[in-house]
Amino acid sequence: MTITRQTTDAMRALQGLEDGRSSVRLRAALAVGTTPDPRFVDKLIERCAIEPEFFVRDMLTWALTRHPVTLTLPGLVREVRSERAQARSQALHTLSKIGDRQAWPAITRTLLSDADDEVARSAWRAAVLLVPEGEESALAAVLATQLGRGERETQLSLSRALVALGEAVVPALRAATMVPDPRVRAHALATQRLLRDPDTGFEFAIEEAKRAVALGGSGQEGR
């Protein structure tokens, strides 16, 4: 009887993940995470790729973190190669929450420079959390190729990722302040400022950097 009831509850939760009401989907994801079951893993990953509501996606990710890494990692690694941008982004986000460095090989240069900003931002966050010791400088060099990209939110995400790598980013940022593209130079200078003084707001740092670049300097004078 207990087994039958558990099976019924599992089926109800799985069906709830596809309900047209976001509140029902949210409760279903909570129920799945509260009572982990290997049968849920594939469905959770599948739903992450198409779930339209942010809060439900976040609960789906939480539910996945409640299951053993041996069950979740293979599916998530497959998803980062999906043609669907949301599938890649949410899988990367979930990998960053799980925090298992076995996933590091899946964080490719292609993902770190993905054409979709949300995917790239998720890849940056995952990369700085999963990067093996000793590979920070190499990661910084790849991330630095994205300086100047996108709007403020994207640039802030990249700056935060670079700052999280600490002193390993210094050579890459210094090189970026010397390139011809003023957007890249300004972004690199702003990130340098945040690295030196984490309490500096990004808006202040980027505007100050833009003024320095507009005046024709690298921003390195006197340093």
Side-chain angles (χ1 to χ4, degrees):
M1 182 175 178
T2 302
I3 294 176
T4 301
R5 178 170 182 176
Q6 287 176 343
T7 300
T8 301
D9 290 345
M11 292 302 298
R12 186 180 296 115
L14 289 173
Q15 290 169 358
L17 293 175
E18 297 182 341
D19 195 275
R21 295 161 292 180
S22 61
S23 60
V24 174
R25 298 196 303 276
L26 184 68
R27 288 196 299 271
L30 174 62
V32 170
T34 301
T35 310
D37 187 314
R39 292 173 295 178
F40 295 144
V41 172
D42 287 344
K43 187 64 177 180
L44 289 170
I45 293 174
E46 176 187 315
R47 188 66 206 177
C48 280
I50 59 175
E51 171 55 51
E53 297 293 334
F54 169 80
F55 292 110
V56 179
R57 290 199 302 273
D58 226 31
M59 189 65 77
L60 291 168
T61 283
W62 173 78
L64 281 165
T65 67
R66 297 272 296 158
H67 290 78
V69 173
T70 53
L71 296 179
T72 58
L73 202 59
L76 291 169
V77 167
R78 284 195 302 272
E79 284 293 279
V80 303
R81 298 190 293 268
S82 171
E83 293 184 0
R84 186 189 292 269
Q86 182 174 304
R88 299 196 301 277
S89 177
Q90 198 65 25
L92 287 162
H93 174 65
T94 305
L95 288 172
S96 73
K97 293 297 184 183
I98 292 172
D100 192 303
R101 286 183 169 174
Q102 292 182 83
W104 169 247
I107 314 298
T108 62
R109 189 184 186 110
T110 299
L111 286 170
L112 294 170
S113 57
D114 197 284
D116 186 282
D117 284 345
E118 285 302 315
V119 176
R121 292 172 63 198
S122 295
W124 301 337
R125 289 191 292 266
V128 298
L129 289 168
L130 301 177
V131 61
E133 186 175 352
E135 295 193 34
E136 294 88 352
S137 294
L139 174 58
V142 175
L143 293 181
T145 67
Q146 302 301 297
L147 286 164
R149 169 180 175 164
E151 302 302 323
R152 291 296 172 86
E153 190 175 8
T154 299
Q155 293 192 4
L156 174 58
S157 290
L158 181 58
S159 290
R160 284 174 172 166
L162 285 162
V163 168
L165 293 174
E167 292 301 310
V169 306
V170 170
L173 289 177
R174 185 182 298 117
T177 65
M178 306 298 179
V179 303
D181 190 330
R183 280 177 61 88
V184 174
R185 293 207 308 276
H187 194 184
L189 288 169
T191 306
Q192 283 183 328
R193 177 65 181 266
L194 293 173
L195 183 63
R196 293 194 307 271
D197 182 7
D199 293 329
T200 300
F202 182 74
E203 286 295 326
F204 176 81
I206 194 71
E207 292 304 324
E208 183 183 64
K210 283 183 175 180
R211 284 194 293 271
V213 170
L215 291 171
S218 68
Q220 303 295 328
E221 294 81 357
R223 293 179 186 167

